[in-house]
Amino acid sequence: MKIAIAQLNPIIGDLSGNAQKILEVAQQVAADGVRLLLTPELSLCGYPPRDLLLNPSFVEAMKITLQQLAQDLPANLAVLVGTVKQNSQAHTTGGKSLFNSIALLENGKIKQYFHKRLLPTYDVFDENRYFEPGLQANYFTLDNIDIGVTICEDLWNDEEFWGKRHYAANPIADLALLGVDLIVNLSASPYTVGKQRHREAMLQHSAVRFQQPIIYTNQVGGNDDLIFDGFSFALNAQGKVICRAEGFTTDLLVVEFDETELDLELSSVNPAPTSEDEEIWQALVLGVRDYAQKCRFSKAILGLSGGVDSSLVAAIASAALGKENVLGVLMPSPYSSEHSISDALALAKNLGIQTQTIPIGELMQGFDHSLANLFAGTEFGIAEENIQSRIRGNLLMAIANKFGYLLLSTGNKSEMAVGYCTLYGDMNGGLAVIADVPKTRVYSICNWLNRHEEIIPQNVITKAPSAELKPGQVDQDSLPPYEILDDILQRLIHEHQSVGEIVAAGHDPLVVDRIIQMLARAEFKRRQAPPGLKITDRAFGTGWRMPIASNWNAIKQISNESVIAGSKSP
Amino acid sequence: MKIAIAQLNPIIGDLSGNAQKILEVAQQVAADGVRLLLTPELSLCGYPPRDLLLNPSFVEAMKITLQQLAQDLPANLAVLVGTVKQNSQAHTTGGKSLFNSIALLENGKIKQYFHKRLLPTYDVFDENRYFEPGLQANYFTLDNIDIGVTICEDLWNDEEFWGKRHYAANPIADLALLGVDLIVNLSASPYTVGKQRHREAMLQHSAVRFQQPIIYTNQVGGNDDLIFDGFSFALNAQGKVICRAEGFTTDLLVVEFDETELDLELSSVNPAPTSEDEEIWQALVLGVRDYAQKCRFSKAILGLSGGVDSSLVAAIASAALGKENVLGVLMPSPYSSEHSISDALALAKNLGIQTQTIPIGELMQGFDHSLANLFAGTEFGIAEENIQSRIRGNLLMAIANKFGYLLLSTGNKSEMAVGYCTLYGDMNGGLAVIADVPKTRVYSICNWLNRHEEIIPQNVITKAPSAELKPGQVDQDSLPPYEILDDILQRLIHEHQSVGEIVAAGHDPLVVDRIIQMLARAEFKRRQAPPGLKITDRAFGTGWRMPIASNWNAIKQISNESVIAGSKSP
């Protein structure tokens, strides 16, 4: 039996457009003798539809679109389509009004619905907000083959693999008990660094444990902050990868299920990602391209400071949208160094992008003049530094508004974490391209990018990073070295370590204390940041839900932790 | 038996401070012979703690603080304290690692834990993100009185009252079946317009239905976007309100439970809110005061345009922080009318607040000059209008940064909905005070405020609203009349109506279409807005989770709706 995996890139909410994509693929594979077509989770509306699901007319439209699609599909092709289904019991027995479902379409009809059983409600996922969990093991029989159906998270609860149980049920164990011949998984699994390795290891474990061939179909494409990397794949019952789709692009694979052996045959195996820098690069390029396209922008603008962050973002934007569609704006001030101009121009030349230069000295004087009375007798400080950044933000938005550019903001995760950035200034933009990329990773991606030829000018990489908002300023006046900062942030944000644990790893308690304070105090800035492309397991954004007005001071706990006793802490 | 209701205002995450508040109240009521003290849901950490709960050292600190509090409390006083409790089964049986619990503290010990059974996961609530539901009916016996314990949502599932069931379980029915003598509810229930009337009607229904006296203890205070209104109250078994705390302030009530009658005795009943305008006013004043205090600001700044929005926000800020702590800044442009200055100054005089005037004409010329080459040959448009707004935003932030003011933004809900506001301009601020108040409501609150004497100058209320970003501009050049706009928005945002339903209510399909498009297109602006004080059942903010890059076009569905057939739609 030929089975096709459609790794689709839907637009959220574009029901007719997404249905059309499914239809086109169906027509294509039906002509090739495919019997079963797999599409990703919620392929009809795109994942995640978020609060569009609260709109009854949206749900109704999805139902009508699904019925129409069933009628339009070629005969003798069974298609699994991701959709929502109303929970008709909700009114009397309680529970959410929708299921996250897969519909089996065949011969003009909706033949069966399967409901997702494990609903992720953590990080960026809010599925309990909308959905009631399905309670039954899901399968159907096609040409005498019993096919188990699982939806994304349904396969992420192998307690042997994880060493713990996340949910009471394990759908794959239930299906194995029922003795199905094949398990398919329809997913919309967002990218994080190294995730594909993780997915394959996990499903390999399950395939071997339950002696089940598994086909994993993933969504691809950028949807706001989330990037879906694709890399759909299949494993035979021995846990061997028998096919793998390309990453970061739509793809269509056909695999053969041997009805005698009851196993999948070896097929086309694209390479797995090998370099983290490369996969992050590809993810960010896709994220920018899709955000722009899906918001109907063809051109992007950004400020070029000659620094490493804006240089990397310019390179990403050029790869995503084409160099002819990227405008870099240089806005030197009297505090700007010579190299900030020359490095930015060298970068633009390397990339082949257009630039504009608008000095801001006169505008700075204008603000100084306007505020002279009010600020009389005060020292130059943060207020004056921010004015410069906000003048630049105003100029960039003016050009973006005038000519229809998407403004890209260029702050990295390290500075977003500690608030080393100006709200309404350099934070301005429709998309924060590297907001989830720590500064140390920014450097390593730039070095990877330069592996064949110089794209990011070498001086951009080697010079000391500086905001250049006052004479002679460098980042390390205000922040610990980025290697130290990023390690502390990793422990705080990703590993939820206590102060004691971080200090035990060799960090100065005073530095840890300061970083914790800065992280908490910058919450008000992050709340107003543009969506940032997510590449780690914990990004600032939809999956980071912190109070602003709060007073949790982790460092107070330090007195309870003996490890501090001999430290430099007062 | 004397029972005390402590309507507390915790600071999120301030474990020792919140414990101290509980201790102080406990000492006070113990001296008055109170036997049982009730505190709100999660009174130890404040509600909502959000992702602080993901931090194991935060959970550990809460445990230690609770143990210490148990030891510090007066003897012979039983105290119910809101806390989290680790789910020791999670590792082996699956499920979330915490319960949302109430601890019964008595005689130096933690005697019992009760776990919340119904976990709200909708609107601003994310409880399934953190908590596992409790499965048992919760009660304890004190001096031979059986007391049922429910936590907030546990009492919001009376299917008779709602006409439908929201959750499978109904904890109050379970407790009634067990025959408890009294039900207490520990809540953190955020304010929305008319909510107290709703709460009392609902619990009255349950009290009568189950013949149970009920004591409802609510949190009070502002926590970021959420305002908790207090209004704790109790009902006897006949459903009569026997006490009601004050709204929008901390309070402490003592009620008497008659151990012979097994019912609550009549006590002090503060008036219920009667005017919606008044309760919104009180909510917003509390919201501003607490956000400022909890973020450690004593002073606020805002731009005064002479319009009704900034005038109302100035009045709220003055009531919240004291007139001596509010600075209004007038930033006239060449397009500003005479009355924009005179009205703003009249308002400032009425309120007794300080003002500063900084004309922006020269700064506008500076930007025109800087962009002259790039903008040569283009028409004056949105880009130029936004520059003005962003100059003002920059000036306000500069003053705020320099002198430590909290900048309040003044946009109303109607303009936030349709994007009639400038990102990085008038949207700037740490808190968006009236972002959930529709324009028509802004007017009615101003009129209510003026009921005894003129506070908002009459001309501010009567003149045509204008952004004054180009000569002769008024809002109604770009928007339908606010009565129409607000009605359409109410139907779209709150009632989830379809286009057909809205048109059937008498609205022009072309106008409805335009508003739907504007609402969707402004999503990118709202994503970057400051936290806005929530006063309705659906505010933009933490409870509004919409995709930005999407293509759901409700109007396309219009062709399926017969009601449109005879309309003016092309």
Side-chain angles (χ1 to χ4, degrees):
Chain A
M1 180 192 290
K2 278 190 174 174
I3 303 173
I5 302 168
Q7 181 170 297
L8 298 172
N9 185 349
I11 294 177
I12 300 294
D14 183 14
L15 304 179
S16 54
N18 298 334
Q20 184 61 29
K21 284 174 183 160
I22 295 168
L23 183 59
E24 283 166 16
V25 170
Q27 287 164 340
Q28 184 182 339
V29 300
D32 290 344
V34 165
R35 182 70 178 99
L36 174 64
L37 171 64
L38 309 177
T39 72
E41 179 180 16
L42 292 183
S43 52
L44 203 54
C45 60
Y47 191 96
R50 298 170 56 87
D51 278 4
L52 289 175
L53 295 177
L54 303 184
N55 189 337
S57 57
F58 181 71
V59 172
E60 180 64 21
M62 211 180 316
K63 192 171 152 188
I64 294 169
T65 308
L66 185 72
Q67 285 165 342
Q68 187 61 49
L69 177 62
Q71 290 169 30
D72 294 345
L73 286 170
N76 293 322
L77 176 69
V79 184
L80 294 179
V81 174
T83 185
V84 302
K85 175 80 174 71
Q86 260 145 340
N87 174 10
S88 57
Q89 301 294 308
H91 200 270
T92 47
T93 62
K96 295 292 181 182
S97 63
L98 297 175
F99 293 105
N100 178 345
S101 305
I102 295 291
L104 170 63
L105 310 186
E106 198 186 2
N107 292 322
K109 295 224 167 63
I110 303 169
K111 290 191 65 173
Q112 207 170 337
Y113 283 100
F114 311 103
H115 306 317
K116 188 174 184 178
R117 300 182 61 189
L118 308 187
L119 300 174
T121 301
Y122 54 79
D123 190 30
V124 298
F125 303 106
D126 278 325
E127 295 203 15
N128 279 127
R129 181 176 171 91
Y130 311 105
F131 301 122
E132 190 65 14
L135 299 175
Q136 294 181 325
N138 293 310
Y139 72 98
F140 66 104
T141 304
L142 190 70
D143 301 348
N144 292 320
I145 310 293
D146 291 331
I147 300 172
V149 179
T150 60
I151 308 178
C152 206
E153 193 85 349
D154 286 348
L155 286 199
W156 288 72
N157 190 31
D158 185 335
E159 75 284 354
E160 271 194 21
F161 177 79
W162 294 101
K164 66 167 285 191
R165 195 178 269 278
H166 293 100
Y167 304 85
N170 184 356
I172 192 170
D174 293 349
L175 290 170
L177 207 62
L178 288 168
V180 297
D181 302 311
L182 167 68
I183 291 175
V184 297
N185 182 268
L186 300 315
S187 276
S189 173
Y191 170 73
T192 57
V193 181
K195 182 115 166 230
Q196 181 63 12
R197 198 174 54 240
H198 204 58
R199 288 182 194 124
E200 293 190 9
M202 179 183 72
L203 291 193
Q204 217 148 32
H205 185 275
S206 292
V208 172
R209 177 178 172 197
F210 298 105
Q211 297 183 316
Q212 290 285 345
I214 300 174
I215 305 178
Y216 177 88
T217 304
N218 198 12
Q219 175 177 291
V220 74
N223 287 328
D224 291 358
D225 52 333
L226 302 185
I227 301 154
F228 297 85
D229 50 336
F231 285 124
S232 301
F233 66 102
L235 303 162
N236 67 15
Q238 292 77 50
K240 183 178 161 65
V241 174
I242 61 98
C243 76
R244 186 185 295 115
E246 284 193 76
F248 308 105
T249 183
T250 54
D251 204 353
L252 177 62
L253 297 179
V254 176
V255 295
E256 182 78 40
F257 183 80
D258 183 321
E259 300 172 47
T260 316
E261 296 290 331
L262 295 175
D263 205 350
L264 292 165
E265 293 179 7
L266 188 62
S267 176
S268 145
V269 185
N270 283 287
T274 50
S275 149
E276 289 191 348
D277 292 323
E278 182 176 4
E279 66 176 62
I280 296 170
W281 165 266
Q282 290 182 320
L284 298 177
V285 169
L286 176 60
V288 169
R289 182 187 297 134
D290 273 10
Y291 188 80
Q293 282 184 0
K294 294 178 182 183
C295 290
R296 301 184 191 83
F297 286 97
S298 56
K299 299 175 297 181
I301 185 175
L302 76 166
L304 291 185
S305 69
V308 68
D309 297 323
S310 59
S311 297
L312 177 58
V313 173
I316 293 166
S318 303
L321 305 175
K323 63 185 179 187
E324 66 283 6
N325 292 315
V326 178
L327 175 63
V329 183
L330 287 68
M331 294 166 287
S333 82
Y335 309 132
S336 298
S337 57
E338 269 306 309
H339 60 71
S340 76
I341 306 290
S342 57
D343 288 342
L345 292 175
L347 170 86
K349 193 176 167 213
N350 288 355
L351 295 175
I353 63 172
Q354 298 282 312
T355 63
Q356 289 283 343
T357 301
I358 307 176
I360 65 164
E362 282 181 29
L363 286 166
M364 286 164 64
Q365 284 173 19
F367 276 91
D368 284 349
H369 178 69
S370 295
L371 291 164
N373 284 338
L374 206 51
F375 284 13
T378 68
E379 296 281 311
F380 180 101
I382 299 286
E384 286 80 0
E385 294 186 29
N386 284 339
I387 286 172
Q388 297 166 55
S389 184
R390 292 184 182 123
I391 288 170
R392 293 188 175 114
N394 197 344
L395 289 168
L396 287 168
M397 283 301 296
I399 303 169
N401 288 164
K402 176 64 80 177
F403 301 109
Y405 287 101
L406 170 63
L407 174 58
L408 300 175
S409 78
T410 63
N412 62 65
K413 187 174 195 172
S414 312
E415 64 189 36
M416 291 288 289
V418 295
Y420 197 70
C421 49
T422 299
L423 190 58
Y424 321 130
D426 59 289
M427 287 178 67
N428 285 9
L431 186 69
V433 178
I434 57 170
D436 197 32
V437 184
K439 187 79 170 189
T440 48
R441 176 67 82 177
V442 170
Y443 282 109
S444 76
I445 298 173
C446 288
N447 284 321
W448 169 84
L449 201 57
N450 281 359
R451 67 201 180 286
H452 302 310
E453 55 177 335
E454 184 191 90
I455 292 169
I456 311 295
Q458 201 54 38
N459 191 48
V460 169
I461 298 176
T462 49
K463 69 185 176 185
S466 167
E468 297 195 333
L469 294 171
K470 62 182 179 185
Q473 184 181 41
V474 293
D475 293 9
Q476 262 58 70
D477 298 341
S478 313
L479 301 175
Y482 280 115
E483 292 71 21
I484 290 176
L485 176 62
D486 283 355
D487 189 60
I488 294 174
L489 290 172
Q490 171 73 23
R491 292 167 187 276
L492 286 171
I493 294 169
H494 297 269
E495 297 167 25
H496 301 291
Q497 288 190 6
S498 69
V499 174
E501 289 171 299
I502 301 172
V503 171
H507 289 290
D508 181 339
L510 292 179
V511 173
V512 177
D513 182 22
R514 199 158 137 260
I515 301 305
I516 288 175
Q517 307 280 353
M518 291 173 95
L519 183 63
R521 281 198 201 124
E523 197 54 47
F524 79 98
K525 294 188 186 180
R526 287 190 294 268
R527 188 69 68 90
Q528 297 187 44
L533 296 175
K534 176 180 160 78
I535 63 150
T536 71
D537 59 0
R538 198 150 189 242
F540 304 124
T542 53
W544 174 267
R545 303 180 187 175
M546 282 292 181
I548 298 175
S550 73
N551 190 26
W552 160 239
N553 189 337
I555 211 76
K556 284 188 199 160
Q557 295 307 119
I558 213 167
S559 58
N560 295 321
E561 302 194 38
S562 59
V563 65
I564 305 300
S567 80
K568 286 181 288 181
S569 181
Chain B
M1 180 194 288
K2 278 189 174 174
I3 303 173
I5 303 168
Q7 181 170 295
L8 297 172
N9 185 349
I11 294 176
I12 300 294
D14 183 12
L15 304 179
S16 53
N18 298 335
Q20 184 61 30
K21 284 174 183 160
I22 295 169
L23 183 59
E24 282 166 15
V25 170
Q27 287 164 340
Q28 184 182 338
V29 300
D32 291 345
V34 164
R35 183 70 178 97
L36 174 63
L37 171 64
L38 310 177
T39 71
E41 180 179 17
L42 292 183
S43 51
L44 203 54
C45 61
Y47 192 96
R50 298 169 56 86
D51 277 4
L52 289 175
L53 294 177
L54 303 183
N55 189 336
S57 56
F58 181 71
V59 172
E60 180 63 21
M62 211 181 314
K63 191 171 153 188
I64 294 169
T65 308
L66 185 72
Q67 285 165 340
Q68 186 61 51
L69 177 61
Q71 290 169 31
D72 295 344
L73 286 170
N76 295 319
L77 177 70
V79 185
L80 294 179
V81 174
T83 185
V84 301
K85 175 78 175 71
Q86 261 145 341
N87 174 10
S88 57
Q89 302 293 307
H91 201 268
T92 48
T93 62
K96 294 294 180 180
S97 63
L98 297 176
F99 293 105
N100 179 345
S101 305
I102 295 290
L104 169 63
L105 311 187
E106 199 186 1
N107 292 324
K109 296 221 168 64
I110 302 170
K111 290 192 65 175
Q112 207 170 337
Y113 282 99
F114 311 103
H115 305 319
K116 189 173 184 177
R117 301 182 61 188
L118 308 187
L119 299 174
T121 302
Y122 54 81
D123 191 32
V124 298
F125 302 106
D126 278 324
E127 295 204 15
N128 279 127
R129 180 175 172 90
Y130 311 105
F131 301 123
E132 189 64 15
L135 299 175
Q136 294 182 324
N138 293 309
Y139 71 99
F140 66 104
T141 304
L142 190 70
D143 302 348
N144 292 318
I145 309 294
D146 290 332
I147 300 172
V149 179
T150 61
I151 308 178
C152 204
E153 193 85 350
D154 286 347
L155 286 198
W156 289 71
N157 191 30
D158 185 336
E159 74 286 354
E160 271 193 22
F161 178 80
W162 294 100
K164 67 166 284 191
R165 196 178 269 277
H166 294 100
Y167 303 84
N170 184 357
I172 191 169
D174 292 350
L175 289 171
L177 207 62
L178 287 169
V180 297
D181 302 310
L182 166 69
I183 291 175
V184 297
N185 183 267
L186 298 316
S187 276
S189 173
Y191 171 73
T192 58
V193 181
K195 182 115 166 232
Q196 182 62 12
R197 198 173 53 240
H198 205 58
R199 289 183 193 124
E200 292 190 9
M202 179 184 71
L203 290 193
Q204 216 147 34
H205 184 275
S206 291
V208 171
R209 177 178 172 198
F210 296 106
Q211 297 183 313
Q212 289 285 346
I214 299 174
I215 304 177
Y216 177 88
T217 305
N218 197 13
Q219 176 177 289
V220 73
N223 288 328
D224 291 358
D225 52 333
L226 302 185
I227 301 156
F228 297 84
D229 50 335
F231 285 125
S232 302
F233 66 103
L235 302 162
N236 66 16
Q238 291 77 51
K240 182 178 161 65
V241 174
I242 61 99
C243 75
R244 186 185 296 114
E246 284 193 77
F248 307 106
T249 184
T250 54
D251 204 355
L252 177 62
L253 296 179
V254 176
V255 294
E256 183 77 41
F257 184 78
D258 183 322
E259 299 172 46
T260 316
E261 296 290 329
L262 294 176
D263 206 351
L264 292 165
E265 294 178 7
L266 188 63
S267 175
S268 145
V269 184
N270 283 288
T274 50
S275 150
E276 289 191 348
D277 292 323
E278 182 176 5
E279 66 176 60
I280 296 170
W281 165 266
Q282 291 182 318
L284 298 177
V285 169
L286 175 61
V288 170
R289 182 186 298 135
D290 272 10
Y291 188 79
Q293 282 184 359
K294 294 177 181 182
C295 290
R296 300 184 193 83
F297 286 98
S298 56
K299 299 176 296 182
I301 185 174
L302 76 167
L304 291 185
S305 70
V308 69
D309 296 323
S310 59
S311 297
L312 177 58
V313 173
I316 292 166
S318 303
L321 306 175
K323 62 186 179 186
E324 66 283 6
N325 292 315
V326 178
L327 175 63
V329 183
L330 288 68
M331 295 167 287
S333 82
Y335 308 134
S336 297
S337 57
E338 269 305 310
H339 60 71
S340 75
I341 306 290
S342 56
D343 287 342
L345 293 175
L347 170 85
K349 194 177 165 212
N350 288 355
L351 295 175
I353 64 172
Q354 297 283 312
T355 63
Q356 289 282 343
T357 301
I358 307 175
I360 65 164
E362 283 180 28
L363 286 166
M364 287 165 63
Q365 284 174 18
F367 276 91
D368 284 349
H369 179 70
S370 296
L371 291 163
N373 284 338
L374 206 52
F375 284 12
T378 69
E379 297 281 310
F380 180 100
I382 299 286
E384 287 80 1
E385 295 186 28
N386 284 339
I387 287 172
Q388 297 165 56
S389 183
R390 293 184 181 122
I391 289 170
R392 293 187 175 115
N394 197 344
L395 289 168
L396 287 168
M397 283 301 294
I399 304 170
N401 288 164
K402 176 64 81 176
F403 301 109
Y405 286 101
L406 170 64
L407 174 59
L408 300 175
S409 79
T410 64
N412 62 65
K413 186 173 195 172
S414 312
E415 64 188 38
M416 290 289 289
V418 295
Y420 197 71
C421 49
T422 299
L423 190 56
Y424 321 130
D426 59 289
M427 288 177 66
N428 286 9
L431 186 69
V433 178
I434 57 171
D436 196 32
V437 183
K439 186 79 169 188
T440 48
R441 175 68 81 177
V442 169
Y443 282 109
S444 75
I445 298 173
C446 288
N447 285 321
W448 169 82
L449 201 58
N450 281 359
R451 69 200 179 287
H452 301 310
E453 56 178 335
E454 185 190 88
I455 292 169
I456 311 294
Q458 201 53 39
N459 192 48
V460 169
I461 298 176
T462 49
K463 69 185 176 185
S466 168
E468 297 195 335
L469 294 172
K470 62 182 179 184
Q473 185 180 40
V474 293
D475 293 10
Q476 263 57 71
D477 297 342
S478 313
L479 302 175
Y482 281 115
E483 291 72 21
I484 290 175
L485 176 61
D486 282 356
D487 189 61
I488 294 173
L489 290 172
Q490 170 72 24
R491 291 167 187 277
L492 286 171
I493 294 169
H494 297 269
E495 297 166 25
H496 301 290
Q497 288 191 6
S498 70
V499 175
E501 289 170 299
I502 300 173
V503 171
H507 289 290
D508 181 339
L510 292 180
V511 173
V512 177
D513 182 21
R514 199 159 136 260
I515 301 305
I516 288 174
Q517 308 279 352
M518 293 173 93
L519 184 62
R521 282 198 201 126
E523 197 54 47
F524 79 99
K525 294 188 186 180
R526 287 189 294 268
R527 189 68 68 91
Q528 296 187 44
L533 296 175
K534 176 179 160 77
I535 63 150
T536 72
D537 57 0
R538 199 152 187 240
F540 304 126
T542 53
W544 174 267
R545 301 179 188 176
M546 283 292 183
I548 297 175
S550 73
N551 190 26
W552 160 239
N553 189 338
I555 211 77
K556 283 187 197 160
Q557 295 307 119
I558 213 166
S559 57
N560 294 322
E561 302 194 38
S562 59
V563 65
I564 306 300
S567 79
K568 287 179 287 179
S569 181

